[in-house]
Each structure stands twice: as C-alpha cells, then as structure tokens.
C-alpha cells in the first residue's frame, strides 16, 4: 500500500511539473520572439554602422560566454610518424584550406583569412583579408625545449607552454605549430589551435579538413535491420538514446515508395532520351499527358529554385561583397522557361492536346481502354489474384516473407507491424515528453550535490594548460579482468571509475584547504572518430548530447565501479530529453534562441559554477589516421576548452584498443593538474576489480 501511495505521489508531481511547463510555453514563445527580433535589429544596426565588418550571428553557448582572456580555442595534438617536412605541411594547408577555391572562383573558406573582432559585445569578421600571410599561422617550432631535446619526457611541458600563449588578436584565430623531433626515428607532433567560431560559421569547413586527416577504414553500410542502433559494451555513454527504430523504418519505406512511384511516373509520361541516349522531344497528344508534364515542370522548378537559393545564401556567407542582380520572381521565370523549352511546351501545344482529347474518337478510345482494364483486373484476372494472395499468405506463414510483393497480403505483412510498433514508439516518446519537465527540474536543481570543493574557491585567469597520459593498452586491461566485464559491469565503467579516482587524488592534495566531496557534479558528452576525419555531411553528426553526472569520488574498486554503473543506468532512464535537447542546441541553437543573451549568460554561469568539470568520451573502432601529405598519424588528442565557471576539461580517448586521457585546465590549477593524468595511468594499469 505504501508503494502505491509513493507511485501516486510521483505521478502527481510529474503531472504538476508538466502543467507548469505548459503554462510557461506562451512566455517562452514571447521570449523567443523578443530575442529573435532584438538580435536581428542589433545585427542590422551594427552592419550599417560597420560596413567593413560581417556581424556574427552565431547563437552557440561558447559564443555567448567567450571573453578575450577566456576564448573558446580548441587544441588538437597530432603525433605523426616519419620525417618532419615543414614546407610540405605548409603547402598542404595552403592547397587544401587557405587557397582553395570553388567553381565560381571564390575562396571556399574565407574566414580562415579574416580577423575576428568584437563590437558592442558581438563578434564580427573583418571583410578585408588582404594582409593574410600563411607564414603567420603555420609555424615551425624548435626541436629543443629549455635547452633539452624534445622527447617523450618533456613534450607535455612543451605543449602546455605553447597552449598558454594567446593567438595574436590582429591575426585570424587559428594556428598550426609543428614541433619537430630531434631524433628522426621518433614521431613529431603538430599542435593545432582553432577558434570555435571558425568551425561554427564556416559552413563547409569540418574539423577533419582543418586537421587534414583522413580515415583509412572503410565505413560499414548500415541496413534497416541493424540501423546502427546497437551499443558497444565498451562505450556506455555513447549511443545514449536508442533511436526510434520502427518509426525510422516506416518513414524510410514510405519515402522509398514515393520516390519509386515518382520515378515510374516520370518514365511513363516523360522520356527525354531514347535508349541510345539521343535527345527526343516529348510529343504531347492528350490532356492527361499535358497535366502530367505540367506537374513534372512545377516540381522541377520548385527543386531548382530551392537549390539556387541555397547556393546564393552560401555565396553570400562566403563573401559579403557578393551581389545578386536576379530577384526571386526572375529566378522562377528563368527556371520555368528552361523547363518549358526543354519539353517543347507552349500554349499552342496545350490547345492541341486539349483539342485531341475532346475529339469523340479519342474519348471513345479512352473509355474503352479504361473499361477493359477495369474488367481485366477485377473480373477476368480475379482467380489469378486470389491464387497469388494464397501463395503470399503461405509464404508469410511458413517463411515469414514472400516474393509476391504486389499482393495485399505482402503489403499488410510489411506495414501493419510497422504501424503498430511505430505507434507504440510514439506512445513511449509522448510518455518521455510528459516526464521531461520533472526530470529536468530534478536533474538541474534537486540532484546536484551542494558540497563545496577547492574548485569553487579558486579564481581563474582564462589561460589554458594541458596534460595527457600515456597510451594504455585495452587488451591488457581485458586480460587482467578476464570474464569480469559484462552487462552488469562494463569496461567503460572501469575507465570512468579510474577517472573518478584520479580526480579524487587531485582534490585530495588540497584536503587541508577544502574537504574532498563524496560526489562531484560534472557534465558529460561523447564525440565519435568521424569528428576528426569526416569532410562531408552534417558537422554535428559525430557530437553527442550532454548529460549531468554526479561522479562518486574515492579509490577505485569493484564496489565503486558498480556504484558508477548504477548512476549511469539511472541517467539513461532519466536524462533522455536533456540529451536530445542538448543535441538540438548543438545542431540548431534551439535553447539559446529562447532567451535574451543576458539571461542566457546568467543561467550558463550559474550551472557552470555547480558543474566545474566537463568529461568528454572520444571513441572510434580503430586508431588509423592518415594525413593529407601522406604520412601516418599515430594518435590524435582533443583538448576541449573549459569556459565560464568550468575550469577543468577531461577528454577520455579510446581509439581501437588504446586509452588516453587529455586534460585542459586553467593555469591557476597548475602544476597539480598533472596528478590526474598520472593517477589515471596508475589505476588503469594496476587496479583489478
């Protein structure tokens, strides 16, 4: 009876939060309209006042919290195998990035040449890039550090010192620093600094293109049955939410059916080429053929107009001086004339088709053909259709599939289960939406620990330092835990437990100033390998959503790992909508568009103070990378910059069977931040559950 009242109380709380959320929707809509038109007005005023600048319209979270001292500069460290040829590297960056042009002769990535400035608290790009010189951005560092040859013992200190230095403000905000090795048999390193706005606003520029990396592996083709929906047991935070499989399959089948019908329609009413590929103009002889061609023309004009507008907007973003003298109506008119000329359509042809269709002989032919087909399909061939339906039913009952795809039985066998399961998935989605307001409130306000730690007491400078661990062999880890990793205790639980133990060791060094908390609020997200290698498609496709994790801090052991496993499983059940909303923010800036920038900054500062550490899981099935200049890249490390009140960024890499931790921290956390990397190495290599 007590459990019943608990369930009822929980349901009432969920209902109350949902009702409150619905009542706030008009207010959010009003806030969105005010923020949108206010931003547009400010951007218009700034563009008039500063005609030599292109005002940034980015609504990313990093754009709102950026400051001159604490800018969102991403750092990438490449470990390259072979001899260091600096001139070849510089030529590759010029050829593939700074000097690359599109078919119209315009620079493909103009923002790599433009300076980034601020005016009235907004970022802006300087249109004049005549002073750009690639020698200011692709730099050759010395092979010695403080009088000693650069090697594995001092490369971390060297890279960390380079990371603390700001990119000069009078230059475009990216830099490539080549660090040669004194021993030619050892790999050399490349440190790449990249401002987040370059990737955010340069539409066609991917991180993989900026790193000049390619993936040697052939990507597998996903079928409808697997769909990539499964989850690797070693990647617990990745693939966080199971995608709606049956809804996706239903949409795929419907789209496939529409496309096939449209292609069949075009083939029947419009054959612009003969079998020997010779041009053949369409002869319009009937009203049905005329109407069909008009429909095809209208669809082609609409698609052509959409493609031309998309291309025009892209050219305008690439060059602020680009002007288009052709208006929208003129564009539609030219496209329409081209389609009509291609099909030899005119008013005379339309009148002739109408005249032919209304002739008594042609009307008689049409009605005769219609009645013959009707009788043939519904009377004469009726026994044959019953026979095919019986065969299809037998195949479905005995084999679960049938080759008689045109029968009603085959269609029912395909679409009825899809519709049923799609409706069940829709009900589950609606249930998650119903629970979302309560879950969001609990995750952001009730569950975060209020324990203070040394990270809350420090003041921060904004400059960044880095540290990273050795490469740790995952096969040896599994050999040490033979038979221990399963669905109840995954390999990712162990790596996250070792990371929590390393953070505990770091905070324990300040135990005389502040006690070590039992739980630490962190934010977590995942990034897949394609982030570093893909050069096409959606740039945010490889970036997962954000979840909030209360990380238990103590020495790693089996109990600690199982506790962490339970926390992650609870997150999977509770934070689905938070995860999806953060993906929407990453792709479309949905959340930051709802509120004015001032309020958004206040909320970000509040939550970043309560969540001072961010954890990123970077994963890939293999560790194979290839540079654009032909050399093999042994390893790639990403250092995501902590901003606002967040002071520590922990980036856990797993490519293939290699684990590696990359740390970026505020300079006021030095030199003890290296404790995290050393403790992580020790726990991963020695602890046995």
């Amino acid at each position: 009876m007590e459990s019943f009242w608990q369930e009822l109380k929980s349901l009432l709380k969920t209902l109350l939060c949902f009702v409150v959320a619905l009542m706030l929707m008009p207010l959010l809509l009003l806030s969105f309209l005010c923020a949108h038109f206010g931003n547009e007005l400010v951007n218009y005023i700034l563009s008039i006042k500063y005609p030599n600048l292109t005002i940034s319209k980015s609504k990313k979270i990093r754009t709102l919290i950026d400051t001159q001292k604490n800018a969102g500069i991403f750092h990438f460290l490449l470990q390259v195998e072979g001899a260091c040829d600096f001139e070849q590297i510089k030529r590759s960056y010029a050829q593939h990035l700074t000097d690359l042009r599109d078919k119209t002769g315009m620079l493909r990535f103009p923002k790599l040449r433009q300076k980034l400035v601020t005016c009235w608290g907004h970022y802006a790009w300087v249109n004049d890039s005549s002073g750009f010189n690639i020698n200011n951005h692709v730099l050759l560092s010395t092979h010695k550090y403080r009088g000693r040859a650069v090697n594995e013992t001092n490369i971390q200190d060297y890279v960390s010192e380079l990371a603390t230095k700001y990119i000069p403000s009078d230059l475009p905000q990216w830099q490539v620093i080549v660090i040669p090795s004194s021993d030619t048999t050892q790999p050399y390193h490349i440190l790449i600094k990249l401002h987040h706005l370059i990737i955010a606003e340069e539409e066609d520029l991917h991180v993989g293109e900026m790193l000049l990396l390619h993936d040697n592996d052939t990507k597998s083709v996903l079928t409808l049955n697997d769909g990539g929906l499964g989850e690797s047991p070693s990647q617990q935070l990745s693939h966080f939410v199971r995608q709606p499989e049956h809804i996706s399959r239903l949409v795929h089948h419907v789209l496939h059916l529409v496309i096939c019908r449209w292609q069949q329609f075009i083939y029947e009413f419009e054959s612009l080429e003969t079998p020997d590929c010779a041009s053949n103009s369409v002869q319009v002889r009937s009203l049905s053929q005329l109407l069909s061609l008009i429909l095809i023309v209208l669809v082609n004009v609409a698609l052509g107009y959409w493609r031309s507008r998309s291309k025009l907007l892209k050219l305008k973003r690439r060059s602020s001086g680009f002007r288009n003298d052709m208006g929208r109506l003129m564009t539609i008119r030219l496209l329409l004339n081209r389609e009509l000329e291609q099909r030899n359509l005119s008013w005379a042809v339309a009148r002739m088709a109408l005249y032919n269709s209304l002739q008594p002989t042609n009307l008689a032919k049409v009605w005769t053909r219609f009645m013959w087909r009707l009788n043939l399909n519904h009377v004469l061939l009726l026994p044959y259709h019953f026979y095919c339906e019986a065969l299809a039913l037998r195949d479905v009952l005995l084999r679960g599939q049938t080759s008689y795809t045109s029968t009603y039985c085959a269609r029912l066998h395909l679409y009825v289960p899809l519709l049923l399961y799609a409706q069940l998935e829709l009900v589950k989605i609606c249930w998650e939406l119903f629970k979302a307001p309560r879950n969001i409130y609990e995750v952001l306000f009730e569950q975060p620990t209020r324990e203070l730690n040394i990270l809350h007491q420090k003041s921060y400078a904004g400059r960044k330092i880095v540290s990273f661990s050795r490469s740790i062999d995952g096969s040896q880890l599994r050999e040490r835990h033979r038979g221990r990793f399963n669905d109840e205790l995954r390999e990712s639980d162990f790596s996250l437990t070792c990371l929590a133990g390393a953070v505990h060791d770091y905070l324990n060094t300040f135990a005389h100033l502040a006690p070590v908390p039992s739980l630490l609020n962190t934010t977590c997200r995942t990034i897949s390998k394609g982030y570093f290698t893909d050069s096409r498609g959606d740039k945010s496709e490889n970036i997962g959503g954000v979840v909030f994790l209360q990380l238990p801090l103590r020495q790693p052991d089996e109990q600690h790992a199982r506790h962490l496993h339970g926390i992650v499983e609870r997150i999977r059940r509770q934070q689905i909508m938070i995860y999806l909303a953060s993906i929407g923010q990453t792709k479309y800036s949905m959340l930051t568009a709802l509120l004015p920038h001032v309020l958004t900054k206040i909320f970000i500062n509040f939550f970043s103070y309560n969540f001072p550490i961010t954890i990123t899981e970077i994963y890939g099935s293999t560790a194979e990378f290839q540079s654009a200049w032909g050399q093999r890249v042994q390893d790639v490390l990403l250092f995501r910059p902590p901003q606002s009140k967040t002071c520590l960024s922990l980036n856990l890499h797993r490519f293939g069977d290699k684990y590696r931790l990359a740390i970026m921290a505020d300079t006021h956390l030095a030199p003890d931040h290296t404790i995290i990397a050393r403790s992580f190495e020790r726990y991963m290599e020695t602890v046995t559950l």
Side-chain angles (χ1 to χ4, degrees), residues 459-476:
S459 59
Y460 300 108
R463 289 181 180 269
K464 304 297 187 296
I465 50 176
V466 301
S467 178
F468 47 90
S469 67
R470 299 191 310 272
S471 182
I472 300 169
D473 192 349
S475 61
Q476 295 181 2

Side-chain angles (χ1 to χ4, degrees), residues 13 17 20-21 24 436-451 521-522 548-550 570 574-575 578 595 599 602-608 610-611:
K13 181 179 180 180
C17 293
V20 172
L24 291 176
R438 174 189 173 177
N439 289 336
I440 293 173
Y441 173 77
E442 290 180 349
V443 168
L444 296 182
F445 298 100
E446 289 187 359
Q447 293 179 3
T449 177
R450 299 295 188 268
E451 298 177 88
N521 300 323
T522 66
F548 298 91
L549 169 66
Q550 280 73 49
R570 185 186 66 192
Q574 191 178 26
Q575 299 190 29
I578 293 178
L595 298 174
L599 292 179
I602 293 175
F603 282 119
I604 293 173
N605 288 331
F606 170 76
F607 288 117
S608 62
N610 289 330
F611 295 85

Side-chain angles (χ1 to χ4, degrees), residues 446-638:
E446 289 187 359
Q447 293 179 3
T449 177
R450 299 295 188 268
E451 298 177 88
L452 296 178
N453 56 72
I454 191 63
L455 300 178
H456 293 120
Q457 300 178 10
K458 286 180 173 290
S459 59
Y460 300 108
R463 289 181 180 269
K464 304 297 187 296
I465 50 176
V466 301
S467 178
F468 47 90
S469 67
R470 299 191 310 272
S471 182
I472 300 169
D473 192 349
S475 61
Q476 295 181 2
L477 174 65
R478 288 189 296 274
E479 181 69 22
R480 198 167 70 247
H481 295 84
R482 185 179 302 175
R484 300 299 301 275
F485 293 140
N486 49 46
D487 290 340
E488 299 298 326
L489 185 61
R490 297 187 176 96
E491 188 176 333
S492 61
D493 294 326
F494 178 76
S495 61
L496 202 56
T497 301
C498 294
L499 184 60
V503 175
H504 173 271
D505 291 349
Y506 169 73
L507 296 179
N508 196 42
T509 59
F510 303 97
H512 60 287
L513 298 175
V516 179
S518 58
L519 292 173
L520 183 65
N521 300 323
T522 66
T523 58
C524 303
R525 85 180 316 154
T526 61
I527 295 177
S528 65
K529 182 184 177 182
Y531 179 77
F532 303 95
T533 57
D534 289 353
S535 58
R536 295 181 180 179
D538 186 3
K539 290 188 285 189
S540 59
E541 180 182 2
N542 300 295
I543 304 176
V546 174
V547 295
F548 298 91
L549 169 66
Q550 280 73 49
L551 194 66
L553 301 181
R554 60 176 183 268
Q555 296 295 322
D557 53 26
E558 183 175 358
Q559 184 181 2
H560 187 197
R562 293 189 180 279
H563 182 202
L564 194 53
H565 176 84
I567 293 176
V568 174
E569 288 301 315
R570 185 186 66 192
I571 289 175
R572 284 178 172 274
R573 296 188 301 268
Q574 191 178 26
Q575 299 190 29
I576 294 177
M577 284 301 150
I578 293 178
Y579 180 88
L580 295 178
S582 60
I583 290 181
Q585 169 61 30
T586 302
K587 289 179 177 290
Y588 311 110
S589 300
M590 291 172 49
L591 302 180
T592 51
L594 293 176
L595 298 174
H597 289 175
V598 176
L599 292 179
T600 306
K601 290 180 181 180
I602 293 175
F603 282 119
I604 293 173
N605 288 331
F606 170 76
F607 288 117
S608 62
Y609 176 81
N610 289 330
F611 295 85
I613 294 181
T614 176
I615 300 174
T616 307
E617 181 195 55
I618 302 145
Y619 64 93
S621 58
T622 62
E624 297 294 329
F625 297 94
Q626 188 76 18
S627 66
W629 55 92
Q631 291 181 312
R632 178 176 174 269
V633 179
Q634 295 180 350
D635 210 350
V636 179
L637 294 180
L638 164 63

Side-chain angles (χ1 to χ4, degrees), residues 633-669:
V633 179
Q634 295 180 350
D635 210 350
V636 179
L637 294 180
L638 164 63
F639 302 89
R640 296 182 69 243
Q643 289 186 273
S644 190
K645 303 296 183 180
T646 303
C647 57
L648 190 59
S649 174
L650 307 177
N651 307 278
L652 180 57
H653 298 69
R654 183 185 179 176
F655 294 130
D657 258 348
K658 296 193 303 182
Y659 283 94
R660 207 164 186 185
L661 178 65
I663 303 166
M664 175 168 273
D666 192 273
T667 52
H668 285 186
L669 299 182

